[in-house]
Amino acid sequence: MAMECYIGFLVLLVAALLFGFLSVVFTLIWVLHYREGLGWDGTALEFNWHPVFLVTGFIFIQGIAIIVYRLPWTWKCSKFLMKLIHASLNAIAAILAITAVVAAFDFHNTMKIPNMYSLHSWVGLAVIILYVLQLLLGFFVFLLPFAPLSLRAFLMPIHVYSGLILFGTVIATALMGFTEKLLFSLNNPPYSSFPPEGVFTNTLGLLILVFGALIFWIVTRPQWKRPPESTPILFQPNGDAAEKVDVSTAISVSHNMDKSDSELNSEAAARKRNFALDDAGQRSTM
Amino acid sequence: MAMECYIGFLVLLVAALLFGFLSVVFTLIWVLHYREGLGWDGTALEFNWHPVFLVTGFIFIQGIAIIVYRLPWTWKCSKFLMKLIHASLNAIAAILAITAVVAAFDFHNTMKIPNMYSLHSWVGLAVIILYVLQLLLGFFVFLLPFAPLSLRAFLMPIHVYSGLILFGTVIATALMGFTEKLLFSLNNPPYSSFPPEGVFTNTLGLLILVFGALIFWIVTRPQWKRPPESTPILFQPNGDAAEKVDVSTAISVSHNMDKSDSELNSEAAARKRNFALDDAGQRSTM
């Protein structure tokens, strides 16, 4: 990567980390300073873990998990190690998200507040279920070495697309959650009279939007994509002879292969498909 | 495009049109059946144009504007005609969105309700301002024939990225708007008791999310991208000799050029940059 390009990446990464970190800090200030604080007793103290765990795990950590392959200083690490980091960060995010939902349900049940009636709760529950399915799919298909290369090649663009749609939907769900909580909690003075808590939490919503936009920019720039592996394929775990290609060919076309993740199923990419399958094979090289 | 690929596109397009159309119908049923109906008198009747115009213009029409280059039967039309359609649909969406905001302000002012205190209003106003800027930038840089090709090539990936981020943010803003409106309006019985209007409008939110997800899928599949122009460049309006390339070269590398919109600024793409500049030239060929 050219120095100019590397500095551009660093600037965007630092900006994303800053906005992500500020989002977590703002969430903590919101619940500790403006709300009741934190606890685990079925009261509002327990509910307040809901935004803290979700902004920390489902927004900040998930955002980092999405761009972890793009950190240039990890390109010398094995793809397997990077997949393990990607999967671990997403697993931590899922655990925090599920705990956050438990906190909300506990609070509702203690306070005799109905569950699952709002659009926030419908979209939020759907997104957590789909996120766990995505995590399981990623674990069994891309991390474990058993899935056939054709399946990996077919599922990769769907995995990437689903991940980004889920991340965007999580942010939309958070903004609905802030809206609900501010309308429920701010009565005297009301949200409509611009109380400090309202302005502060609106600002938190904007910080999260900017964080999301930076993650989307970083993850969609082709020049910041991890280069394909350049080591020869010595071992293919699934041993499917039909999917093996000549090693020298695999190396010589490695530049083309790098683009093929998102080009599968296309007529134009059909010619490259054998190379793409081989790329999926390289992805499983540990 | 192969028949298999063409049918795949049609299925996704019909699904997107169906979910977009259903979203508009659900919004109309919401305001006509569950709410007070439509009018322009400063009361709730006027406010009700707010969701109708926004779902119709800022979600459905904007979604179609985003994928209009990808309709295979338009690939024989000139790029200029398609740009005109893209710009016109986005302009209609902007006019409807601005009218929708006027309706909300009128309603608030008549009813002595404060403006611009909620996160929905902050994000919504920001997104409309940025959308109008994006429209002006698109008009002056990509539609009019005066911008230098280097500027077009530099701005194209930013234009595509901004458009998609704005579309996603509009959907998030709509979901916040539904949340607000249901919490304000549903009192007896309350939103938390699962009244038909609450369940119905939550469903509308889900329809819009699916519509958005389908648009994102359609617009990010490389195999459904409009092929580059294959006609020779006879006229370059800005007459920048340094940016002209040999016509025969331009045609022979046309397949590579098609990918370069999103590859600019990259070290790897630097070698293709001259071709990309030429592609931008073709884009302005009428």
Side-chain angles (χ1 to χ4, degrees), chain B residues 4 18 27-28 35 38 58 75 129 135-136 141 145 156 163 183 195 204 217 232 237 243 265 267 273 277:
Chain B
E4 179 197 349
L18 183 71
T27 309
L28 282 169
R35 299 272 102 228
L38 294 165
F58 225 20
W75 290 351
I129 292 169
L135 197 63
L136 291 175
V141 174
M156 179 53 80
L183 288 173
L204 167 58
W217 178 261
E243 288 172 344
N265 301 326
E267 185 197 18
R273 191 160 297 178
L277 291 171

Side-chain angles (χ1 to χ4, degrees), chain A residues 166-177:
Chain A
L166 287 176
F167 180 62
T169 310
V170 165
I171 290 177
T173 311
L175 302 187
M176 278 192 280

Side-chain angles (χ1 to χ4, degrees), chain A residues 1 114-119 122 161 176 179-180 191-192 194 202 213 217 222-223 259 262-263 266-267 272, chain B residues 1-2 114-119 122 161 179-180 191-192 194 202 213 217 222-223 259 262-263 266 272:
Chain A
M1 190 187 268
N115 287 300
M116 296 304 302
Y117 65 84
S118 72
L119 182 54
W122 287 24
Y161 163 82
M176 278 192 280
T179 300
E180 272 193 8
Y191 191 15
S192 60
F194 295 84
N202 287 357
W217 178 262
Q223 68 270 27
K259 290 176 187 149
S262 59
E263 282 178 357
S266 78
E267 186 198 18
K272 294 185 188 165
Chain B
M1 191 188 267
N115 288 300
M116 297 303 305
Y117 65 86
S118 71
L119 182 54
W122 287 24
Y161 163 83
T179 300
E180 273 192 9
Y191 192 16
S192 60
F194 293 86
N202 286 358
W217 178 261
Q223 68 270 29
K259 292 177 188 148
S262 58
E263 284 179 356
S266 78
K272 294 184 187 167

Side-chain angles (χ1 to χ4, degrees), chain A residues 134-190:
Chain A
Q134 167 93 333
L135 196 63
L136 291 174
L137 178 135
F139 180 75
F140 285 108
V141 173
F142 298 112
L143 196 69
L144 294 187
F146 308 117
L149 300 183
S150 57
L151 184 67
R152 291 168 182 237
F154 175 73
L155 286 179
M156 179 53 82
I158 298 171
H159 179 76
V160 169
Y161 163 82
S162 306
L164 293 181
I165 289 283
L166 287 176
F167 180 62
T169 310
V170 165
I171 290 177
T173 311
L175 302 187
M176 278 192 280
F178 297 149
T179 300
E180 272 193 8
K181 185 65 183 175
L182 292 171
L183 287 173
F184 289 142
S185 307
L186 294 176
N187 293 308
N188 192 18

